[in-house]
Every structure is written in structure tokens, then in C-alpha cells.
Amino acid sequence: MRDTKQKIAAGLEHAFAKGGFAEPSVDDLRVAADVSLRTLYKYAPSRAEMVHIALEHRHQRYLTVVFTDLPAEPDKVLRVAIDRVGYWMNSEASHGCLFHSAVAAAPNDPVLQELLVRHKSEIANTIAQKSHRTGLEVEINLIFEGLTQSYPIHGEEAVFAAQRLAMSLPVTSNS
């Protein structure tokens, strides 16, 4: 059962990342999930739930890519995390942040709003803690958001600029 839900979530994430949130039909989503329509609706009984499942899956994948095996040195944490976001943008999100796109497509969906806030907060809080820059979560969020929003325009130069800005943040704690 867990494997089926993961397969559906991965397929839906891919379909929404490729086609946006308005474009793919339910049948396109079913094909992307590689399940029957009945099975798709069993795990995601509405299109909104399909989006939620896809974004939750993307959130977990993103955290794995960015945070797995970060170095112990605080300044290296920032550089490596920014490099990994650049890699993610190049390979997974060349059109920008899927969470912001989802909220733009359904601005009155409170679940999407919560997913967006949780996703962005978890990134900033984790980076702040691991880089010993607690209390600078807003600054970290601005740097990482700036990177994800400007990457489609500036590519790797956005990565280098984010690294320069991040290195200007002072170490605030030893935690």
C-alpha cells in the first residue's frame, strides 16, 4: 500500500512539474502515476488532494537532496546547501518553485498555503541550525528564495550570488 502511494505521489509530482497545475487532465495524471483511475482516486479522491500528495512528495525529496550528509563546518553547510539548490533548480525546477506555482494556481487553498509555509520554514530553520546562524532564518529564507526565483533567469550566476550573500551572514551560535 505504501509503495503504491509513493508511486502515485512521484508520478503526480512529475506530471505537475512538467505540465503545471491546470494543464494535465485527470487521465494524464493517471497515466503519470501508472495506476488505474480507481486506484488513483482511492489514494487521491480529488484533484486538490493530488496536488497536495505531489507537493508533500516533492518536499521530502527536496529535503533529502539538500540536507543529506551536510558537512559539519558551518560555512561549508551554506555553500554545499546552496550548491545543492542550484543542482535541484537545474535538474528539477528550471521553471521555478513548484510550491509557489501551486499557491498561485489555487490561492484560496489553505492546505497549499500551509505546505508552502512549512516547506520554506523547514529549509530556513534547518540551514540556520546546521550553519550556526540561528536568529537569521529570515535572511536565510531571502537568500534561498532569491536563488530559486532568480535561477530561471540567471542560472549558475544566481548560485554564486547566493553563496556570496550567505557568506556575509555572521555565525550566531554553536548549536
Side-chain angles (χ1 to χ4, degrees), residues 1-8 43 60:
M1 189 177 226
R2 179 94 174 118
D3 291 341
T4 301
K5 187 171 183 174
Q6 285 296 105
K7 179 174 114 172
I8 290 169
Y43 289 93
Q60 294 305 320

Side-chain angles (χ1 to χ4, degrees), residues 21 46-57 59 98-120:
F21 293 98
S46 68
R47 187 179 187 90
E49 186 62 26
M50 291 175 198
V51 173
H52 302 161
I53 288 169
L55 289 176
E56 187 60 48
H57 184 263
H59 172 69
L98 199 60
F99 289 85
H100 282 294
S101 296
V103 169
N108 297 321
D109 183 333
V111 174
L112 289 181
Q113 291 285 343
E114 188 276 328
L115 280 168
L116 171 67
V117 169
R118 183 169 52 93
H119 177 69
K120 301 303 181 175

Side-chain angles (χ1 to χ4, degrees), residues 104-166:
N108 297 321
D109 183 333
V111 174
L112 289 181
Q113 291 285 343
E114 188 276 328
L115 280 168
L116 171 67
V117 169
R118 183 169 52 93
H119 177 69
K120 301 303 181 175
S121 296
E122 193 167 338
I123 294 162
N125 293 338
T126 302
I127 292 291
Q129 179 188 23
K130 291 185 178 291
S131 70
H132 298 189
R133 287 169 171 85
T134 55
L136 298 175
E137 290 81 2
V138 173
E139 290 84 346
I140 289 167
N141 179 264
L142 285 169
I143 291 168
F144 279 75
E145 281 298 289
L147 172 55
T148 60
Q149 295 302 316
S150 63
Y151 190 90
I153 299 165
H154 300 288
E156 286 300 309
E157 186 54 39
V159 174
F160 303 138
Q163 287 174 338
R164 288 190 301 272
L165 289 170

Side-chain angles (χ1 to χ4, degrees), residues 55-68:
L55 289 176
E56 187 60 48
H57 184 263
R58 190 168 187 92
H59 172 69
Q60 294 305 320
R61 282 194 332 105
Y62 185 89
L63 295 180
T64 299
V65 167
V66 175
F67 297 130
T68 299

Side-chain angles (χ1 to χ4, degrees), residues 18-97:
K18 182 179 176 191
F21 293 98
E23 181 73 22
S25 68
V26 172
D27 194 55
D28 293 335
L29 297 172
R30 180 200 61 77
V31 169
D34 193 27
V35 295
S36 70
L37 192 57
R38 180 180 176 145
T39 300
L40 177 61
Y41 277 122
K42 176 182 174 185
Y43 289 93
S46 68
R47 187 179 187 90
E49 186 62 26
M50 291 175 198
V51 173
H52 302 161
I53 288 169
L55 289 176
E56 187 60 48
H57 184 263
R58 190 168 187 92
H59 172 69
Q60 294 305 320
R61 282 194 332 105
Y62 185 89
L63 295 180
T64 299
V65 167
V66 175
F67 297 130
T68 299
D69 296 327
L70 283 174
E73 300 88 348
D75 285 342
K76 286 185 180 180
V77 166
L78 283 169
R79 281 195 292 275
V80 169
I82 288 168
D83 280 343
R84 289 177 181 176
V85 171
Y87 166 79
W88 176 270
M89 295 305 297
N90 185 52
S91 63
E92 301 278 344
S94 60
H95 301 297
C97 176

